[in-house]
Structures are given as structure tokens and as C-alpha cells.
Amino acid sequence: MSNKLNYSLSIATPDGYKNTPRQKAIILTGVVGLFVLVLTLFNLDTFSGLALYTSLSLICLSISSYAIDLYVSKPEGIKNNGVWFKSISSRGLYGWLTGVVLTLFYIVLYFYPQYLGLNLNGGANTGLIAFFDPLSRLLSGNPASQWFVYGTLYTIAILAFGFKFLLKYRHNRYEQLRTYSVMFFQLAFAFLIPEFMARLNSDTFSLPYYDLKNIWPLNYYNFEQYRVDSMISAGDVGLAILIFGIASIFIITPILTYKYGKRWYCSWVCGCGGLAETAGDPFRHLSDKRQFAWKIERWVIHSVLVFVVLMTTAVVHSYLEADTSKYWLTKDVFLILVASFLTLIFVLTMIFKRHELGKDARYGAIGYFIIIMVLFAMHYVSNSNIFLFQAETLRSTYGFLIGSIFSGVIGTGFYPIFGSRVWCRFGCPMAAILGFQQRLFSKFRITTNGGQCISCGNCSTYCEMGIDVRAYAQKGENIVRSSCVGCGICSAVCPRGVLKLENDSMKGRINSKEILLGNDVDLMDLVNQK
Amino acid sequence: MEHIVIIGNGISGVTAARHIRKLSDHKITIVSAESDYFFSRTALMYIYMGHMTFENTKPYEDWFWKKNRIDLKKGFVNLIDTDTKTLHFENKESLKYDKLIIAAGSKPNKFGWPGQDLNGVQGLYSKQDLENLEVYAPDNNTCKRAVIVGGGLIGIELAEMLHSRNIPVTFLVRESSFWNGVLPESDSAMINREIERNGIDLRLSTNLKEIVSDENDKVKSVIIEETGEEIACDFVGLTAGVSPNINFLKNSTIETHKGVLVNRFLETNISDVFAIGDCAEQREAIGNRRPIEAVWYTGRMMGETIAQSVCGNRIPYKPGHWFNSAKFFDIEFQTYGWVHGKKAKPEYEEQYHWKHQDDNKCITIAYHKDNNEFLGINTFGIRMRHEVFDKWLTEKRSVDFVLSHLKEANFDPEFYTHHEADILKTCNNFYQTA
Ligand SMILES: Cc1cc2nc3c(=O)[nH]c(=O)nc-3n(C[C@H](O)[C@H](O)[C@H](O)COP(=O)(O)OP(=O)(O)OC[C@H]3O[C@@H](n4cnc5c(N)ncnc54)[C@H](O)[C@@H]3O)c2cc1C
Ligand code: SF4
Ligand code: SF4
């Protein structure tokens, strides 16, 4: 019995949190489905389209039945009982196993796709990839690739675990709508539309694979030469898509973020966020809340941003022409445009938002400085071959380190260890841009409710971004943080109704208080006015 | 530089320490026998339910205290010598102070029931209580049934906790309806139903007669006063309220009654000794408030106030409008201003009541029957804005104003269904028929 005293270290599993026989049977169904997928790796050649659909259906069925069994019979409300006791969600054995398996899967997917059955010589695929051919042919008319397999499983995860999330939060309309939204964007924009677009391609007309909601710099390869060339050569449609891609980041994103905060993207649209909010939901409390983690976060994420800006500039620069005779946008014009744009943002921020930034301003200043210096360098070495090599090196390094290792292997593989939003928090350059704007120029905030906070810590525990929400709430201070993705869970789990996500005027958005509402009004005036 | 010593690292003591640090350079020491670091008592239930770890309940990281030069001392004070300004600890150590703040909190009430000190019988207040709970009620094998005695806020939390581990719970409530000393009848009735919906065996108007022991001094069953029924159980939770934790002051010169007696400046009868939080008892009650208020928010407010006095700006404790909140299983409760239960209701207080058909939301609004002044609101299942009600109470708005502006006070998450129109209609009907 003594081990039960260890409750706070979450090693003991008090009975009552074990799976019931029915739940075990349900899990087994899913495992059978997954097992079929594993079997295909051995090229047994006995699998048909029927086997594919059966196996995928079993997986979906298992997840949704489990969710129904878990939630429907219980009254609506917050259902976090035993989260810290269950092995899978408390870095127990199952948690680690899941983490290791997921990580291995990502490593194989990114670096050894031949083990999944990819034919590196361009011939027909085998194994797991060939297993997905029937579905791929149905959608795009082409055989499957490793990315098709991944996309299918990814979409299934968002849909099935999305269903689970919908049941878990069936009392909360905000959570419901937001989840329908990510499920829709994943299914339609990330999965189906690009496949259908592939059907339009012919010898004379070809669009690159394009998930329209995937915006640069998350989609860091969007402005690479082969993509831009192919969009331009695809006539009006291609051009429209190219312009949409540019408008997304420079026009649409700022407007929506101003009105609603970065949540419009991070927890309503984005696929990475979508997976984190659905399949990742059981792991959200594992995020690191220490102030130390916050310090690391700010350096890392902004470094990635600087990296992606440089990399993209270098890549675009590398394929532009040097002389004006062919097209107005030459290497030098491009560099000047980038430099002016960055300077404009930098100067405007320093003039209007200096007082709100304080210490953080140095991150901005350093990043800005690095980029400008490199732009200069680019200008002077632009004609040498070394530079071409550099652009390519930058691109492939970024793709390897950030695109594959960070966002895939660490970002998703480590869900059961570091929580669900490691990538969104530490790595995503899109989140850095949106967050910068959310912090400085947005109507969004999380309002705290007067003096009602009891410092219980539910909000901080369940914040997947590791924001110490309680630190603000117990001071009666609104939460205006660049990393907040507006998932709304802190507000949902708060047992005292202290937190509300809302869009309101910019004035008084940041409202630090020393003495909370409820005390002597004269004392509040005396202390808070200082 | 003075040495300020605070007994108790709960919300009151810690708030006082933080504010004293902001205002001054005094040496600050917080003494506690319970835990090394401040944790949130209100979150104890979530540890047992597996929502949080103990670590998660600490509002400040461990480095916070050193950085802010707040010394922490673990130990139990068993004597205060106010003449020499010295604290004596159980382990014979001692500590000198220049100013002393007593923030010792509460302890669970025990009313002399036979068997109340058996193994497996306990209250729920401290970290140690939680550890004992893990011993006697870790799961439904060890604990086949639990009985909870006392229908208050902690009792219902304990019921929810045990229920989360599938332990059958019998809940003995002395009153005819849950917490109806505080809640109006209709509010209280809805909570009765919520308790039963969650599968708790709720026994209203039922008193405990005695707790029966097995051969190992462990609880075996309880006997009901009214019916003589014997209920077999492995755990008994005593949650019939709390009272100030001041036994250690018995042999000191500090004047006590139920709690440590303080004036409006939170000063005791001894100079340089103050008391705040759950353990303080006002010599004269403030407004409608009780002399002892064992809630989180008042502890915090007293901490904010005492820091001023200790640092040279002597001010009285002057709390603003009353507010509070709780959660009954899945139903959140907030209150602003005064809404009274049947027994305590003053003659001038009238009430409107609205309840949603789903039986999980309701509000009760109290107003003065002579001049229609809005007096307070209880809201269940609908979140409301503290700031707005605080303002309306200060402005002495009429109940009609409040009803027609209720939307401004709504604090529910976005996209939630609004009920203001329905509430207004119900209350208007009520008005016409009344
Ligand atoms: C389970 C539970 C849930 C609650 N929920 C709510 C809620 O939702 N809302 C609300 O408003 N209130 C709630 N309360 C009440 C609230 O927690 C208390 O009012 C508040 O914690 C009191 O704070 P305090 O600082 O006065 O005392 P405490 O938090 O009790 O701190 C006193 C500390 O002093 C220590 N101490 C005492 N004597 C000595 C000594 N002689 N030597 C050394 N150390 C000593 C004690 O060990 C203790 O650590 C709840 C209480 C409990 C138990
Ligand atoms: S602060 Fe709240 S809304 Fe923002 S990310 Fe954290 S839990 Fe989600
Ligand atoms: S805001 Fe709510 S959840 Fe967070 S600490 Fe305060 S009461 Fe708890």
C-alpha cells in the first residue's frame, strides 16, 4: 500500500482507472487494424483494397467506440479524472512506448521511406505504400507515395480523435466549433483538395501539391523555384494561387490576427494545431510550465523565424535574374524590398510599442540586425557561385533540422513525453509571426474575472503551451501572451469561471494589478495606481 | 530592518509576505509545519482525482522565495512568548521576531462523536489529510463504501473525489436540503438533484450517532441517529465545517475566543502581533459578514491589508462587496452581494428565481422589497463578471436595471447559448403574479 502514497508522482494507478473489459476489447479492435498495416510491410502480397478499408475502419471504429464508452454515459463536464494516474498520459510505460514508436515511425518516414515500401528507383512501390494505392487512385488517380500514407493516417487521427474530443467537451460550444473547424480544414484543404487538384494536372498543365491553408513560413518551401515556376506556367489559376500564398501571409493573416488573435489559425485551421488538439489532447498537461522553459522558448522560436526568413530570401534571391531586362523583380530589387519591409516593421514597433515590449525588444533588435547584415552580405556576394551553394545548403539544412526533425520527429513523436504542442511552442515560425502580432496588435486577450481565482492551477496544468495562466489570473491580470493559441481549455477547466477568451478593444488590454477586486476600494486605488 | 515572522504558509500568510516584500526591505520568515512550499489548498481534490500533481498546485516555483528574499522555515510553533518576542518550536528551536503575523488557518470540526478518532476517520484540510485518504480510500477494493458527514463545500468536494475512484459514497447531511443554511431552497434543491445524478447516496435530515470500530481500531460502520441504521464503511469523512487552528496559542497572552481576536486593523491585544485569514476573528462583525470568514479571498485580502500596516501605512481591513464561488460536481456556482437562505433571510429581502429546463443552470436574484434595490445574485452554471456586479452593487442599481442589463455581466465562453431573455421573461411573469 505504501506506493499509493506516491500519488503525486503518478506512479501508482489507483484501481478504477484501469480499462474495463469492454474498453480492452475496443482497444484490441484498433490494434488489429494497426497490425494489418504492419503486416503489409512484409510484402505478403495478399492484401487488397478491401483489407485497406477494413483496417482503416477498424482503427476509426476503435477510437470512436472507446470515446463513446468513456464519455457518453457520464454527465457532461470536465473529465480529467485519473489523467495523472494513467500510464499513457503520465509518462508511464505506455507513454514512453508510444513516444518511441511514434518517433521511429517519423524517422523511417522522413529518412528511410524505402522501408515503408517506397521504390527509390522510381518503379512501383511495395509494402505499406502500395497498400494505400487503391485509396490514392480513387482520389487523385495516381499511386500512393509515403506522403499519401502519412496524410491519410494524419487525417484519420484528426477525425477520429476529433470525434473523441467533441464528446469530451460536448458541454462547450467553443471547443465544439473549433474542433469541427480543424476537422474540416484537415479533411478538405489538407487532404482532399490537393488530391483532386492533382487530377487536373496534365502534360501541359501542372500545379504543385498545395494545401491552401498551409501558409509560408509554416510551409517553408512554398516559394522555391520549382513551385513558383510551375505556378507561373499554369496560367491564371497558378498565378492566382501564387498571389493567394503571398496575400495569406502579408494581408489575410494580419487582419484576422488583429481581429481574433492567432487562434483563428493555430486552433481553428492549422493541421499541426489540429493534430495537437485532437490526438494530442490527452498529453496537453505534460507541457513544461517553468519560467526557464519560457526563456528557452523565446530564443528558439525566434531563431527559427530568423532562419526561415533568411533561408527563403536566399532561395528566392538565388533564382531571380540579375539584370532588369527580363523582369522588374531582380535580385537587388528583391533584397531592397525585403530590407525595407523589415525596417518598416522594426521602426513602427519601436515607435509605437516600445513601452509594451520592454526587455523583449532585444530579441527583435537582434533578429532584425542579423537579417539586415546577411542581406548586405548577399548583395555583395550575389554573383559568386558560393552563394548559390549557400542558398541550397540553407534550404536543405532548414528542411532537415526544422521541417523534419523539429516539426515531425520531436514535434509529434514526443507528444507523450513533452506534451502536444512542442513544435507550435518552440519551433513554428508561423506561430512566431502570429504571436508577435497577437502580443502587440490584436484585440484578443483572456480576461480574468475580478478576484475569483483560487490559484488552484488547473488552467496552468492544462495549458498545452506551458503558459502559467494562474500567475496572471491570481493577479487579476489579463493574459496577453504571444504563445497563446486560444484553445480555450484553460477557461474550460477553470472551476471558478475566472477566464474568458474574448476580442475587445485594444485599450486596457494589458492590466497589471497588485490588489484584486473585492478588497477595500481605497486600498485598490492607492496601490494599483502606482 | 525589522524581522517579520509569519506563522502559516497559506494564501493569507503568503500574500502578506509578498506584499511586505514589495513595500519594504524587512527580513521576512514564513513558518509552516505542513509543507515546504506554498500550495493551493483549494486544489487538494484535484490531486486525488488525478487532474493535477502536487507540484501543479504550487502557485510559485521553488526559486521564487529565495529570489524575493522570503525565508521559509519548516516547523511547528507550540509556544509564543510575547514578552521576549520569541517563537518556540516543537523541536526546541526558537526564533525571534519584531512583528508577528498569525495566519495559522483552520482545522476540521469534530463534535465529540463516539469513534471520531478511529483510523479511517478524518477531515479534509491538509496535505497530510490527503495522504491519509490515499491510505484508507485509495480504491474501491480497500474502501467498499465511504460515509461523509456534513453537507458543506468540503463535504461535496470529498464526495466528488471518492466518486471519481468509483467508491460508493453515502453523504449524511443534517439539514433538510444541501447547504440550505446558505442557499435559497430552489438553488439548494437543484444541487440535491445534481448530487443524486452522480450516484451519491444522499441522506438529508440525517445525523451521525456514532462511528463503530473493528478489532484494529479502524472504522467498521456508522450508526444513524434518526433511524438507528448501521452502514458498513471503510472510511468516514468529517466535513462539518472548520474552526480556527489556534490550540498552540492557549498558553500565550494573545487573546482568543473561537479565533484570534482582532480589531479592524487586524491587530491582536498584544502590540506587534497580528492575525489574518481563517484563524482571525473580528471583534465586531463587518456588515453582513461573519466574524470568522474561512474563505480563500478574505484570507488574501487580509494579507494585502496587513502588509500595508506592517510597512507603516496603518489601515483598517475594509473588504468590498461579498463574493464567492464553488463547484458542485459539474455545476459552477458564483455569488455576488448577498442572497440568503430561508432561515437567515432578512424580512426585506425578496428573490427572483430562474431555472433552465436542463436542471443544471439557475439563478436567484435578491432585491429589497421596498425600494427594489439589487442586493445580490447566485448564479449556477452561468458565469458572470465580478467587475460588473461589483459596480452595480456600488451604484445601488435597481433589480430591474440588473435584469435588463444582465447580458453585460455574462462571462460564459464564446458561442454559449444566452439565457438573458428567458430570465427576464420569467422574472417579469413572477412580478406580475406576485
Ligand atoms: C478542500 C478545501 C477546499 C477549499 N475550497 C475553497 C474554495 O473553493 N474557495 C474558497 O474561498 N475557499 C476554499 N477553501 C478554504 C480556503 O482554502 C481557506 O480559507 C484558506 O486556505 C485559508 O488560508 P490561510 O492562509 O488562512 O490558512 P491555511 O491555508 O490553513 O494555512 C495555515 C498554515 O499554517 C500552518 N500552521 C498552523 N499552525 C501552525 C503552527 N503552530 N506552527 C507552524 N505552522 C502552523 C498550517 O499547517 C497551514 O499550513 C477550501 C478549503 C479546503 C480544505
Ligand atoms: S492560455 Fe489558455 S487558451 Fe491560451 S494556449 Fe494556454 S490553455 Fe489555450
Ligand atoms: S484561473 Fe481558475 S483554473 Fe486557474 S488557478 Fe485560478 S481558479 Fe484555478
Side-chain angles (χ1 to χ4, degrees):
Chain A
M1 194 170 285
S2 63
N3 68 333
K4 301 285 188 197
L5 284 177
N6 257 334
Y7 62 92
S8 55
L9 299 175
S10 76
I11 289 167
T13 308
D15 312 302
Y17 294 115
K18 294 204 175 113
N19 285 314
T20 62
R22 186 165 63 204
Q23 286 169 347
K24 282 184 186 151
I26 291 172
I27 294 174
L28 195 69
T29 342
V31 172
V32 170
L34 278 175
F35 187 63
V36 174
L37 294 185
V38 175
L39 276 187
T40 61
L41 292 174
F42 298 99
N43 284 318
L44 298 180
D45 263 352
T46 47
F47 293 109
S48 60
L50 188 65
L52 172 69
Y53 298 128
T54 314
S55 121
L56 297 182
S57 308
L58 282 180
I59 295 174
C60 292
L61 193 75
S62 164
I63 299 173
S64 45
S65 313
Y66 190 82
I68 291 173
D69 193 76
L70 203 57
Y71 300 122
V72 170
S73 60
K74 302 207 182 102
E76 296 178 8
I78 294 304
K79 293 289 164 279
N80 287 327
N81 290 348
V83 161
W84 281 102
F85 300 137
K86 293 178 189 159
S87 172
I88 178 105
S89 57
S90 62
R91 297 191 195 108
L93 181 65
Y94 290 131
W96 278 99
L97 279 180
T98 314
V100 169
V101 170
L102 278 174
T103 306
L104 287 176
F105 171 72
Y106 273 94
I107 292 177
V108 172
L109 175 76
Y110 281 112
F111 306 115
Y112 305 100
Q114 62 272 29
Y115 295 138
L116 299 178
L118 186 75
N119 190 325
L120 294 175
N121 305 320
N125 296 323
T126 54
L128 182 66
I129 298 183
F131 186 52
F132 277 71
D133 275 347
L135 183 60
S136 181
R137 287 193 196 282
L138 184 75
L139 296 174
S140 68
N142 304 321
S145 65
Q146 79 269 38
W147 300 120
F148 179 79
V149 174
Y150 179 52
T152 311
L153 294 177
Y154 198 101
T155 307
I156 286 183
I158 290 189
L159 294 182
F161 286 108
F163 175 73
K164 175 165 180 261
F165 192 86
L166 286 172
L167 287 184
K168 182 173 176 188
Y169 286 99
R170 64 189 188 281
H171 60 289
N172 190 316
R173 288 265 315 274
Y174 180 76
E175 299 304 329
Q176 295 261 317
L177 293 177
R178 162 173 100 60
T179 306
Y180 282 124
S181 172
V182 289
M183 288 163 78
F184 165 76
F185 277 103
Q186 176 62 29
L187 181 64
F189 280 64
F191 189 59
L192 295 179
I193 295 179
E195 295 297 328
F196 294 150
M197 268 163 65
R199 278 194 178 269
L200 301 176
N201 288 352
S202 63
D203 292 344
T204 51
F205 177 86
S206 156
L207 281 174
Y209 179 93
Y210 201 166
D211 169 359
L212 286 172
K213 68 169 177 38
N214 211 356
I215 300 173
W216 181 91
L218 179 57
N219 177 355
Y220 58 91
Y221 44 80
N222 203 24
F223 301 116
E224 281 172 23
Q225 184 164 20
Y226 78 97
R227 289 177 68 90
V228 174
D229 283 351
S230 113
M231 285 190 254
I232 289 175
S233 61
D236 287 348
V237 183
L239 204 61
I241 292 180
L242 182 62
I243 291 174
F244 179 74
I246 298 172
S248 295
I249 187 66
F250 291 109
I251 300 171
I252 303 176
T253 294
I255 294 176
L256 290 176
T257 310
Y258 169 68
K259 290 186 82 152
Y260 308 113
K262 80 198 256 190
R263 57 181 171 155
W264 76 267
Y265 192 72
C266 296
S267 54
W268 286 72
V269 173
C270 180
C272 302
L275 191 73
E277 293 294 343
T278 53
D281 176 63
F283 309 111
R284 60 187 324 125
H285 54 285
L286 300 174
S287 58
D288 193 335
K289 307 331 186 270
R290 287 172 305 163
Q291 200 183 63
F292 177 67
W294 183 16
K295 286 186 183 151
I296 296 185
E297 164 194 323
R298 287 189 287 181
W299 278 106
V300 175
I301 193 170
H302 293 109
S303 307
V304 174
L305 179 61
V306 169
F307 191 2
V308 79
V309 170
L310 278 180
M311 186 274 284
T312 310
T313 312
V315 166
V316 174
H317 178 260
S318 72
Y319 64 72
L320 288 174
E321 300 292 335
D323 65 306
T324 45
S325 56
K326 289 194 182 138
Y327 192 55
W328 64 270
L329 189 60
T330 60
K331 283 186 194 300
D332 284 344
V333 174
F334 177 67
L335 288 186
I336 291 169
L337 277 178
V338 174
S340 326
F341 180 72
L342 291 172
T343 309
L344 185 70
I345 292 193
F346 185 74
V347 169
L348 287 180
T349 311
M350 286 301 162
I351 294 177
F352 293 109
K353 297 287 171 175
R354 202 178 41 244
H355 48 286
E356 281 182 31
L357 273 172
K359 271 195 303 194
D360 296 5
R362 70 162 188 270
Y363 296 99
I366 295 170
Y368 170 75
F369 185 71
I370 295 177
I371 297 184
I372 293 296
M373 290 320 285
V374 175
L375 290 180
F376 264 114
M378 276 189 209
H379 173 69
Y380 285 111
V381 295
S382 64
N383 292 323
S384 70
N385 284 333
I386 308 165
F387 182 67
L388 280 177
F389 174 72
Q390 280 177 334
E392 175 51 28
T393 318
L394 274 179
R395 193 194 64 78
S396 57
T397 313
Y398 186 92
F400 174 75
L401 281 182
I402 312 296
S404 309
I405 301 274
F406 208 155
S407 80
V409 179
I410 300 180
T412 316
F414 287 16
Y415 268 14
I417 310 302
F418 296 139
S420 51
R421 286 252 194 194
V422 172
W423 160 249
C424 310
R425 180 182 178 192
F426 293 92
C428 177
M430 178 80 184
I433 295 181
L434 294 175
F436 174 77
Q437 197 192 332
Q438 166 159 290
R439 177 72 179 68
L440 295 178
F441 193 64
S442 165
K443 291 152 111 44
F444 173 72
R445 92 289 312 275
I446 302 179
T447 309
T448 52
N449 200 5
Q452 286 282 22
C453 176
I454 52 169
S455 303
C456 69
N458 273 291
C459 51
S460 298
T461 305
Y462 286 91
C463 176
E464 54 192 349
M465 298 305 280
I467 297 174
D468 191 357
V469 185
R470 165 174 55 194
Y472 297 79
Q474 66 191 359
K475 282 192 286 186
E477 180 178 340
N478 292 345
I479 294 112
V480 178
R481 275 280 292 267
S482 48
S483 62
C484 171
V485 292
C487 66
I489 296 294
C490 54
S491 158
V493 297
C494 172
R496 295 294 178 273
V498 178
L499 305 164
K500 178 173 163 71
L501 283 68
E502 55 184 353
N503 315 308
D504 201 344
S505 83
M506 296 265 293
K507 208 168 139 259
R509 191 168 69 121
I510 301 175
N511 63 337
S512 174
K513 290 193 196 87
E514 292 297 341
I515 301 246
L516 271 71
L517 183 59
N519 209 339
D520 181 2
V521 278
D522 301 329
L523 177 60
M524 282 167 55
D525 286 347
L526 172 79
V527 177
N528 294 341
Q529 239 106 76
K530 271 186 199 160
Chain B
M1 194 175 75
E2 292 185 319
H3 185 196
I4 317 278
V5 176
I6 301 169
I7 302 181
N9 66 349
I11 179 68
S12 334
V14 163
T15 307
R18 279 179 39 240
H19 282 268
I20 294 171
R21 175 49 71 240
K22 275 183 194 145
L23 295 168
S24 76
D25 230 4
H26 294 316
K27 178 175 160 65
I28 305 173
T29 306
I30 304 184
V31 178
S32 168
E34 184 180 11
S35 59
D36 293 333
Y37 298 100
F38 172 44
F39 72 97
S40 178
R41 196 173 297 296
T42 52
L44 281 176
M45 66 182 295
Y46 300 107
I47 303 176
Y48 180 84
M49 288 167 54
H51 295 207
M52 284 196 261
T53 61
F54 180 71
E55 206 55 33
N56 293 142
T57 67
K58 291 197 253 173
Y60 303 94
E61 287 183 58
D62 294 351
W63 50 256
F64 175 88
W65 309 100
K66 196 161 186 187
K67 182 174 167 231
N68 288 289
R69 288 171 293 125
I70 297 175
D71 295 340
L72 305 178
K73 179 167 172 51
K74 197 163 181 190
F76 186 80
V77 179
N78 60 3
L79 187 69
I80 301 177
D81 182 346
T82 47
D83 294 335
T84 59
K85 292 192 163 184
T86 312
L87 303 183
H88 296 279
F89 289 86
E90 209 170 31
N91 64 0
K92 306 282 180 271
E93 284 178 359
S94 60
L95 185 71
K96 289 245 178 212
Y97 65 83
D98 295 310
K99 283 184 178 147
L100 177 67
I101 300 174
I102 303 173
S106 308
K107 58 177 187 331
N109 283 335
K110 291 185 174 182
F111 291 121
W113 292 293
Q116 66 182 14
D117 295 317
L118 290 171
N119 292 327
V121 180
Q122 64 169 83
L124 175 69
Y125 191 83
S126 63
K127 182 166 180 266
Q128 284 71 29
D129 289 337
L130 193 69
E131 284 163 359
N132 285 331
L133 187 62
E134 287 285 348
V135 172
Y136 293 104
D139 54 55
N140 55 11
N141 281 330
T142 317
C143 179
K144 300 264 186 292
R145 175 165 293 277
V147 173
I148 296 172
V149 184
L153 296 177
I154 298 182
I156 193 167
E157 282 187 5
L158 187 55
E160 182 178 354
M161 289 160 68
L162 294 160
H163 180 62
S164 80
R165 294 202 187 177
N166 291 329
I167 296 172
V169 178
T170 298
F171 191 10
L172 309 185
V173 174
R174 185 183 54 178
E175 293 77 22
S176 59
S177 179
F178 176 78
W179 213 35
N180 70 353
V182 176
L183 297 181
E185 289 307 302
S186 329
D187 296 355
S188 161
M190 189 177 87
I191 302 305
N192 290 342
R193 294 190 294 271
E194 172 74 359
I195 296 173
E196 283 170 345
R197 266 198 292 270
N198 279 278
I200 306 294
D201 171 26
L202 174 67
R203 310 279 185 97
L204 297 171
S205 307
T206 305
N207 282 278
L208 173 69
K209 182 163 171 233
E210 70 168 287
I211 305 170
V212 185
S213 166
D214 70 2
E215 55 282 5
N216 304 321
D217 284 339
K218 193 186 151 278
V219 54
K220 182 177 83 180
S221 62
V222 298
I223 294 175
I224 306 283
E225 173 89 53
E226 284 73 13
T227 58
E229 182 190 355
E230 181 168 359
I231 303 175
C233 60
D234 299 297
F235 175 84
V236 176
L238 301 178
T239 56
V242 295
S243 47
N245 179 17
I246 52 166
N247 285 346
F248 70 105
L249 297 177
K250 260 192 212 137
N251 299 323
S252 74
T253 49
I254 300 166
E255 196 184 343
T256 61
H257 172 240
K258 279 183 184 150
V260 183
L261 286 168
V262 294
N263 61 17
R264 286 296 295 270
F265 293 88
L266 303 170
E267 299 159 342
T268 66
N269 62 318
I270 308 285
S271 66
D272 291 338
V273 178
F274 310 85
I276 57 175
D278 279 22
C279 69
E281 178 176 354
Q282 295 289 330
R283 287 177 191 270
E284 34 179 322
I286 305 173
N288 272 338
R289 291 167 181 261
R290 297 182 206 178
I292 300 176
E293 286 185 314
V295 288
W296 185 263
Y297 317 100
T298 49
R300 187 181 63 208
M301 294 190 302
M302 290 188 216
E304 291 164 353
T305 311
I306 198 67
Q308 295 285 333
S309 298
V310 164
C311 298
N313 173 28
R314 184 170 177 265
I315 54 166
Y317 172 52
K318 238 168 50 184
H321 300 291
W322 171 254
F323 68 98
N324 199 2
S325 61
K327 192 171 177 187
F328 306 112
F329 285 89
D330 290 317
I331 299 182
E332 285 174 22
F333 160 64
Q334 298 180 334
T335 184
Y336 301 103
W338 292 108
V339 182
H340 289 94
K342 196 156 90 191
K343 258 186 255 149
K345 197 166 87 172
E347 159 279 327
Y348 59 80
E349 180 179 325
E350 292 279 343
Q351 295 174 351
Y352 283 139
H353 180 75
W354 166 90
K355 185 168 80 60
H356 190 261
Q357 60 196 25
D358 290 350
D359 203 29
N360 57 9
K361 294 175 201 72
C362 74
I363 64 167
T364 298
I365 298 185
Y367 62 97
H368 197 296
K369 74 170 192 233
D370 298 336
N371 57 11
N372 274 347
E373 182 186 329
F374 167 70
L375 299 174
I377 183 168
N378 279 354
T379 163
F380 295 81
I382 301 178
R383 295 176 173 179
M384 303 265 186
R385 275 180 211 266
H386 187 178
E387 249 163 50
V388 173
F389 277 111
D390 195 78
K391 188 162 135 258
W392 288 345
L393 285 163
T394 303
E395 294 168 353
K396 295 189 181 305
R397 291 292 181 174
S398 74
V399 66
D400 308 286
F401 176 89
V402 169
L403 275 170
S404 51
H405 289 77
L406 209 50
K407 205 168 169 189
E408 291 163 30
N410 185 289
F411 200 69
D412 270 340
E414 294 153 299
F415 304 115
Y416 269 41
T417 313
H418 278 256
H419 302 286
E420 287 87 8
D422 194 30
I423 293 172
L424 187 62
K425 211 169 82 198
T426 311
C427 295
N428 281 342
N429 287 344
F430 180 92
Y431 198 57
Q432 272 146 21
T433 50

